[in-house]
Amino acid sequence: MNVVHVVESLDVGGLERVVVSLASWQKARGDSSRIICLFHEGALAVEARAKGLRVDVMNKSTGLDLRALRALRAALTDSGADVVHTHNAMAHYYAVAAAIGLGIARIVNTRHGMGSTRESRRLGLLYRWALFGTAQVVAVCHAARDGFVSTGQVPAEKALVVPNGVAIENIEPRSEWAKAQLLARLGRPEGTFLIGSVGRLNAVKDHATLLQAVRRMRHSGRAVDLLMIGDGELRAALEAEATELQLNHCVHFVGMRDDVAQWLAALDVFVLSSLSEGYSLALVEAATAALPIVATRVGGNAEIVEHEVTGLLVPARDADAIAVAVARLVDEPEQCERMGQAGRHWALRHGSVQAMGQAYQSLYGGAKGHDRRRPPIAGESTVAGGDR
């Protein structure tokens, strides 16, 4: 099967990592898979090419760009695609417009987030127009699918769920040895309880509330350190806030890392304080690392974290709730271990790139060889949706 993925770019982010992982898995199983970037290529293009994937760039400018549309049409024609798999709204309506008359057997769109309620009317109309030429629209969690359908953005009969997957084979479970090594590296005392968070340092992740929670735990006498893994526009402000809260000795900003799995192996608990999430790769990776999780009850988080089984779910914007949840895990090491092992068991079954890839392959169906029969709709086929 010949699959072409269309994205806005391959900048570092969850969506882009999913695309590279999926395309790489497809190539490894013997399919032809390539990636087309509408705007610029981004840092992950280097990784994609290192895995043998072809990456083309259309260099689209802001606003309507007919030159980029013609370039995209030429690239799709050259590809001989059986399936065009687009990612998010803009990539989708550009690809559908470029594919008119090319006889491509199946066009599939994945919406990687929860959808924006601030989308302009014009862009919303373009997306809904493009759905007439779309076999299926995939949401990455059931909460997102319900939102897209209830707001009229996607017809229910075209809406399916395929959860994101991660390279679970690269993630080892946490260990006391890894923790001891990191504590020594940070110059922190033995017995320090390490909590960590992975993600972009921006307003949506609400790390300010997490800092307040750490302050409460430290004031309660618990020896808790926080590792912030990631970077972003709020880093300087968060560093200043940590200093103001007198937490600069126990909050560690480690920046962007390409060895996140090694840091996860050294943690005791993973915390995600987001105000909004789709289907968080960071949570899947944390579960794979056998970490108990404290996460806000937003978006698809509850489809990854089973409350009281693999972690604890708390309200968003609630520093007290986060502090109480983490303190409970600090005080109950046996529960920490039980939740971590339950999370890893779930992740090994449901959280892999292979599970995601196989779900998409079944969704692509009989597209190989330009089978122009009507594609199945949601009521006629079942795609993996996180059966928990």
Side-chain angles (χ1 to χ4, degrees):
M1 188 176 295
N2 187 344
V3 183
V4 175
H5 295 273
V6 183
V7 297
E8 290 186 21
S9 75
L10 287 178
D11 286 332
V12 177
L15 177 164
E16 295 81 6
R17 289 196 180 279
V18 166
V19 172
V20 173
S21 295
L22 177 58
S24 299
W25 180 85
Q26 290 165 341
K27 180 177 175 60
R29 75 185 292 275
D31 290 333
S32 173
S33 187
R34 66 194 278 189
I35 301 171
I36 297 176
C37 300
L38 272 186
F39 290 94
H40 54 274
E41 59 178 38
L44 288 180
V46 175
E47 178 182 329
R49 292 191 178 103
K51 294 181 176 182
L53 296 169
R54 176 172 172 175
V55 179
D56 296 315
V57 183
M58 303 295 100
N59 294 310
K60 180 187 176 307
S61 60
T62 303
L64 177 63
D65 188 338
L66 295 178
R67 183 210 55 79
L69 183 62
R70 289 192 294 269
L72 178 56
R73 181 174 177 82
L76 292 178
T77 302
D78 174 68
S79 72
D82 301 309
V83 174
V84 171
H85 187 163
T86 67
H87 300 270
N88 277 353
M90 182 180 293
H92 187 60
Y93 56 71
Y94 261 81
V96 169
I100 291 173
L102 297 184
I104 293 170
R106 191 153 303 173
I107 299 177
V108 172
N109 175 233
T110 298
R111 296 294 296 266
H112 287 265
M114 299 297 292
S116 173
T117 56
R118 293 174 292 183
E119 184 180 72
S120 74
R121 183 172 182 272
R122 182 178 67 85
L123 296 183
L125 288 173
L126 283 171
Y127 181 72
R128 285 190 285 276
W129 163 81
L131 293 185
F132 287 105
T134 306
Q136 281 106 1
V137 177
V138 176
V140 294
C141 62
H142 292 281
R145 180 195 181 276
D146 293 347
F148 289 129
V149 171
S150 66
T151 56
Q153 295 178 68
V154 179
E157 66 273 12
K158 289 192 175 186
L160 298 173
V161 174
V162 177
N164 292 333
V166 302
I168 58 173
E169 64 276 5
N170 297 330
I171 302 174
E172 296 293 329
R174 69 167 302 275
S175 71
E176 288 301 319
W177 179 88
K179 177 182 175 179
Q181 294 292 308
L182 182 57
L183 286 175
R185 179 176 169 185
L186 295 173
R188 302 297 292 154
E190 293 182 18
T192 300
F193 194 87
L194 291 180
I195 67 176
S197 187
V198 178
R200 186 161 181 81
L201 304 184
N202 61 22
V204 174
K205 300 299 183 183
D206 195 21
H207 293 103
T209 294
L210 181 53
L211 289 176
Q212 291 289 342
V214 171
R215 180 173 180 268
R216 286 162 171 74
M217 285 182 280
R218 297 291 300 190
H219 282 185
S220 72
R222 293 177 174 85
V224 172
D225 274 26
L226 169 63
L227 275 73
M228 299 271 217
I229 304 171
D231 214 334
E233 58 270 24
L234 291 186
R235 177 167 179 168
L238 290 167
E239 288 176 330
E241 185 168 359
T243 299
E244 183 177 343
L245 295 172
Q246 299 183 326
L247 298 175
N248 48 305
H249 66 293
C250 64
V251 176
H252 313 276
F253 292 85
V254 301
M256 292 290 295
R257 308 292 308 189
D258 56 10
D259 58 350
V260 170
Q262 296 179 34
W263 291 80
L264 292 177
L267 300 178
D268 292 299
V269 168
F270 188 89
V271 182
L272 192 69
S273 53
S274 300
L275 303 178
S276 176
E277 285 287 343
Y279 195 84
S280 169
L281 296 181
L283 286 185
V284 180
E285 290 173 343
T288 308
L291 291 171
I293 295 169
V294 174
T296 48
R297 193 184 288 275
V298 299
N301 288 356
E303 296 173 37
I304 302 171
V305 182
E306 187 172 356
H307 186 59
E308 297 286 353
V309 176
T310 63
L312 300 171
L313 294 167
V314 298
R317 301 183 192 273
D318 193 332
D320 286 333
I322 293 174
V324 168
V326 175
R328 176 180 163 188
L329 296 174
V330 172
D331 297 341
E332 300 177 13
E334 291 184 359
Q335 179 161 279
C336 258
E337 177 68 17
R338 176 179 59 79
M339 286 183 171
Q341 290 302 318
R344 182 167 172 83
H345 177 72
W346 171 84
L348 294 179
R349 290 184 60 201
H350 301 289
S352 68
V353 172
Q354 180 179 3
M356 173 182 65
Q358 288 174 340
Y360 276 118
Q361 291 303 121
S362 66
L363 193 154
Y364 297 159
K368 186 174 181 180
H370 291 260
D371 179 356
R372 303 189 188 195
R373 294 172 295 174
R374 179 182 63 83
I377 60 175
E380 299 172 321
S381 63
T382 301
V383 175
D387 53 324
R388 296 187 61 194

